[in-house]
Structure formats: structure tokens, C-alpha cells
Amino acid sequence: MTAPQEVSVGEDDRVRLAPGVMLRQDRVRNHWQLLGPERVLVLDDIALEVVRATTGQPVTVREAIDALAAQFDAPRAEIAADVREVLADMIAKGFLTR
Amino acid sequence: MTAHCSTGTTLEPPLAILAELTHRCPLRCAYCSNPLQLDPASRELDTATWCRVLDEAAEMGVIQVHFSGGEPTARKDLETLVAHATQAGLYVNLITSAVLLDRTRLKRLRDAGLQHVQVGFQDTVADKAERISGFPGGHPKKLEVARDVTDLGLALTVNAIVQRHNIDRVDDFIDMALDLGAGRIEIANVQYYGWALKNRGALMPTHEQLIRMDERVRARLPELKGRLVVDYVVPDYYGKRPKACMGGWGSKFLNINPSGAVLPCHAAETIPGLTFDRVTERPLADIWANSAAFQRYRGTDWMPARCRSCDQKEVDWGGCRCQALALTGNADNADPVCELSEHHGLLAGITAADGGTAEVPLTYRSFSL
């Protein structure tokens, strides 16, 4: 078994919400969240945009980064680092899967 | 929610509710944590009342509902309740023994909006599992249903209920969860409340067994990252600091029993002197904010002086009230799992007397459908 100790995400990967995970707006607490089995992950603005860009349509991580860089008119390298970090964390926590 | 609790901070709405739809259950598990006195079918809330309560829960800010029991699939209206909860905006979990389920019904539940199914497993070996559950044929049925759960695209949790006879197979439980395609495993050491207390001397493992299990689980965690979420309930009889039971009394969760009593935790009915309001008599949000049973141990004002001066008081919230009651005779005491409790020494006596590996006759639960 050579399973990695830390999750790392490549630009050719495609991610999707893990089974039983949904994106939901919490109108009482006034934020967006990912809901999964017995769990809630509160999303900040960056995490929300990453989830939308990578799971909203069937795209590679590379395509999602390109789209976000264009949308926010930000340096691609900066966006790419944010996206890969957010995705790795969400995969490690079981909210997203490849 | 604008109600305030005794410490003066704003009371948040609960994150989740445990809806115990029925106490009926085909299994006879020796470790059952339901109260000794069960609600008969004739006292169960009807469909319309549950639907109203689900609407009230969503309205007040509850995010998730856990349909539980007893065996919730014994209710013929489960599909209706799942659909209603989903339409109300709740995330729907089903906590089940799985033995009454089949693929057709699972499909109907999925189509109604069910997201996640947690299946309880008593062991990884059929005859050993069925000795604990008292239900012949249960184990292969559970495996079959669990495969259907993942095959239908639902999230699966394997709930591994751990006691002295299966604790050495914790690796097998993890492998079984991976093999079934589960996204999550709950390694749940038996908690000795309700019926389970009768079987403590037949189920409690030894300290050596616990240490071995703990080493095995921790050794597996790195390779499971990103593949299987591991929620791990450490058995606290051998612990030094109490767990924050329910994330703090009346802080994050509430529990509705089959006849509609609203409880701060699943075992709260064991505590004498508490009175519980019913969803048939008062709105859920009002019960959460103002019910005497919720106020009784909410926050830190109720704590003994020693706990009130402790820097962990808002970490563990004084531990578990039901455990304080079961072990010291008074629910107002600090949880004796805490090494600072004057009753902590009791635990060494209990684990010496009841911890073991021997096969002792079990006292089975019996509550027919």
C-alpha cells in the first residue's frame, strides 16, 4: 500500500462532491456550507467559489483555475495555489472526491 | 433565535436533531443504550405531527435530521418523513440496523431525498455479530444492504460497535468499511447507559485491549486520509478527561423520543427530577430555549465549584450528566471520568470488576415489532 500521507491535487484531476455531500445556503446563519454525513463545513468566500468552479460543471482543476483567474482578474499562480490547497483539505476531510 | 442562556451569551439553534421514530426493533442487542422503559407503538407520534416538527426544526435553523430509533424503518411512513424533511431543507440521515431494508425501499428513500445511511455492525464475523444482536441471519443481510446503499449512490457509514469480543478485530472493521465503499466509519466503543449497563460485566474490554485498539486505529489513520473518514469514540471509563457530551448540554443537539418528549440527550430520561416538554404541547423552538430540562445543565452555572474554576469548563462542559448519575448517584456531580473529580477512583474499581475478555452470558433486550 503506497497511499499518500497527505492529499495532493493535480491540475488534470477532476473533483466532485462525495456521496451524500451537498452545497447549501444557510439562511439562518447567513453563510454557505457543505453538508455531509454528520458534518457541516462552513465555506468562506474563497472556498465557496472553489467548490462552485470545480464541482458545478464537469471540468478539470486546470479549467477551473483558468476560469477563476479570469473571473477575478488575479494572477493564475496565486489562484492555483489557493484552489489546490482548498481542494486537498476538502478531499482529506471527505467532502470532495476524485 | 434571540433567546439567551444562563451565561448571557446568545443561544444558537441546534445543528441537528435525533428523531427517534420508534422504540420497536427486531434486534435484541445487549448493548442497547435506549432507556429501560420504552415507548410502546401506541404512544408513537403520528405522521402529521412529525411533519410539523420537522418544519419547526428547519424554521429554527436545524441543519440535519437523524432518523433513528429503535429501528426507524419499522415505521411505514419513513418515506413520507424523509421527503418532508428534505422539502423543508434538512439534510437527512438514517441510522439503521438495516435488517428490515431492501434495495427497493432504499431506492424509494433515496428518491425521497435521503442522503446518508449509517448501518450498525456488531462484528465482522457473522456468528459473533449475531450473538451480540440476538438476531440470526442479521450480519449477511447488513452486508447486502450496505452494498446497495453505496451502489445507489448514497453515503454509507459503518458504525462499528466495539466491545471486548470484537475489539481485537478493529482492523477488520476498517477493511470491511473500505470493501463496502463506505465514506465513513464510526468506531464506537459501547457506552454503558440504559440497557447496556446491565451487560457492562459481559462487554467491557480490558485496558490492554483498548491500548492495542488505539495503536491499531492510529496506525491506520494516515493511509485512510481522503478515503475513509474515521470518527472514533474513545471509551471513557479508562480516560482521564471527560468527553464534551453532546457538545455541551442543550448547546448543539436535541433528541425527540417516539412519544414526542424533547430531550437534551438520548439517555436524559434516566436523570430523576427532570421533566421533559413534548412537541405536542409546546413549539420546538420554545422548548429548546426555555424548557427546564435544557436549562438545568446548559452552560456552566450549574457546575460544582471546582468545575467552575477549571480552564477546561468550556471544552468538556463537565462531561456527561448521565454518566455522573450512573456512577456517582447524582447527575449534578462532575463526570467521574475526570481525574480531578473526587469520584474518579470509582472507575478503577469498575474496570477492575467488569473489564475482561471472558464470555459471560448476555442479558438480551426484547421489544418486538
Side-chain angles (χ1 to χ4, degrees):
Chain A
M1 186 83 61
T2 56
Q5 299 260 328
E6 292 300 328
V7 175
S8 87
V9 179
E11 292 204 6
D12 290 326
D13 286 340
R14 290 170 188 271
V15 300
R16 57 190 163 84
L17 297 177
V21 174
M22 56 193 271
L23 177 65
R24 172 183 185 265
Q25 185 175 24
D26 188 324
R27 294 178 194 281
V28 173
R29 295 170 185 80
N30 199 24
H31 60 224
W32 285 80
Q33 57 201 191
L34 283 180
L35 300 182
E38 321 252 340
R39 283 170 304 149
V40 180
L41 183 68
V42 176
L43 302 179
D44 61 19
D45 293 344
I46 293 176
L48 175 62
E49 292 302 335
V50 172
V51 169
R52 281 180 167 153
T54 54
T55 67
Q57 46 274 331
V59 294
T60 61
V61 170
R62 174 175 296 109
E63 289 162 339
I65 293 169
D66 290 341
L68 287 168
Q71 184 184 340
F72 292 99
D73 194 20
R76 191 182 189 285
E78 217 171 88
I79 296 277
D82 277 352
V83 169
R84 291 179 60 178
E85 188 188 328
V86 168
L87 293 180
D89 181 53
M90 288 181 182
I91 291 170
K93 288 178 178 155
F95 286 98
L96 299 182
T97 186
R98 273 177 279 208
Chain B
M1 292 292 294
T2 53
H4 292 264
C5 73
S6 55
T7 54
T9 52
T10 306
L11 180 64
E12 296 282 329
L15 295 172
I17 65 170
L18 186 74
E20 294 180 332
L21 298 180
T22 178
H23 276 150
R24 291 172 285 146
C25 184
L27 268 56
R28 301 162 58 217
C29 301
Y31 61 77
C32 179
S33 60
N34 273 336
L36 299 183
Q37 185 68 48
L38 298 174
D39 285 335
S42 59
R43 295 195 61 205
E44 289 176 10
L45 297 181
D46 62 17
T47 311
T49 305
W50 273 118
C51 288
R52 174 183 49 84
V53 169
L54 292 165
D55 287 337
E56 288 183 23
E59 178 73 19
M60 69 193 275
V62 170
I63 300 168
Q64 301 209 0
V65 59
H66 306 267
F67 288 121
S68 173
E71 177 45 57
T73 61
R75 291 271 304 217
K76 294 188 172 58
D77 58 357
L78 184 61
E79 287 85 337
T80 306
L81 299 178
V82 168
H84 196 91
T86 303
Q87 278 153 22
L90 297 167
Y91 181 100
V92 183
N93 304 271
L94 177 65
I95 299 175
T96 179
S97 70
V99 301
L100 301 179
L101 274 171
D102 59 28
R103 192 178 172 93
T104 309
R105 191 161 191 217
L106 265 178
K107 226 173 180 167
R108 283 205 306 271
L109 291 166
R110 181 197 63 182
D111 295 344
L114 180 66
Q115 296 279 346
H116 166 228
V117 180
Q118 172 172 311
V119 179
F121 282 91
Q122 285 75 28
D123 208 309
T124 58
V125 183
D127 62 322
K128 294 182 194 300
E130 291 162 18
R131 177 177 175 264
I132 297 293
S133 69
F135 189 82
H139 188 70
K141 176 72 184 170
K142 286 165 181 284
L143 292 172
E144 178 196 318
V145 171
R147 285 187 204 287
D148 285 334
V149 168
T150 50
D151 195 47
L152 290 170
L154 291 159
L156 172 70
T157 289
V158 165
N159 183 25
I161 301 119
V162 173
Q163 35 77 25
R164 70 169 60 158
H165 297 300
N166 62 19
I167 192 166
D168 295 324
R169 281 187 290 284
V170 71
D171 269 304
D172 297 348
F173 270 120
I174 292 171
D175 293 335
M176 185 178 82
L178 290 170
D179 180 54
L180 291 170
R184 179 171 171 270
I185 185 170
E186 211 171 279
I187 299 172
N189 283 270
V190 169
Q191 305 277 305
Y192 299 100
Y193 313 124
W195 190 268
L197 200 50
K198 288 180 186 290
N199 287 298
R200 194 171 62 191
L203 298 175
M204 185 181 278
T206 65
H207 198 197
E208 293 69 35
Q209 283 183 308
L210 282 173
I211 289 169
R212 275 204 302 277
M213 174 197 65
D214 193 57
E215 286 170 358
R216 288 308 309 149
V217 173
R218 286 176 202 287
R220 301 267 326 246
L221 290 179
E223 60 143 311
L224 297 175
K225 213 171 189 181
R227 299 167 70 205
L228 185 67
V229 174
V230 180
D231 279 341
Y232 182 29
V233 182
V234 181
D236 50 11
Y237 274 49
Y238 290 101
K240 291 189 171 139
R241 284 301 171 97
K243 62 180 185 295
C245 197
M246 308 303 287
W249 182 276
S251 165
K252 295 192 162 56
F253 305 103
L254 64 77
N255 191 60
I256 305 173
N257 84 0
S259 59
V262 185
L263 316 173
C265 89
H266 165 82
E269 284 172 294
T270 60
I271 300 176
L274 288 185
T275 48
F276 303 102
D277 290 298
R278 290 182 185 280
V279 293
T280 45
E281 293 159 359
R282 245 176 124 169
L284 192 62
D286 181 32
I287 295 174
W288 173 250
N290 301 312
S291 163
F294 281 83
Q295 300 279 25
R296 182 72 187 80
Y297 298 111
R298 180 177 273 152
T300 56
D301 287 356
W302 63 272
M303 289 181 175
R306 194 168 186 181
C307 295
R308 279 204 308 272
S309 64
C310 179
D311 64 3
Q312 298 295 299
K313 69 179 175 185
E314 293 190 352
V315 175
D316 60 39
W317 300 102
C320 172
R321 298 304 84 227
C322 305
Q323 185 146 276
L325 172 75
L327 301 185
T328 74
N330 185 350
D332 293 352
N333 284 328
D335 186 336
V337 167
C338 182
E339 61 183 340
L340 303 173
S341 155
E342 71 260 38
H343 299 105
H344 186 65
L346 285 171
L347 291 170
I350 292 168
T351 53
D354 283 355
T357 56
E359 196 150 308
V360 176
L362 298 167
T363 308
Y364 290 100
R365 179 120 236 187
S366 183
F367 197 65
S368 67
L369 294 166

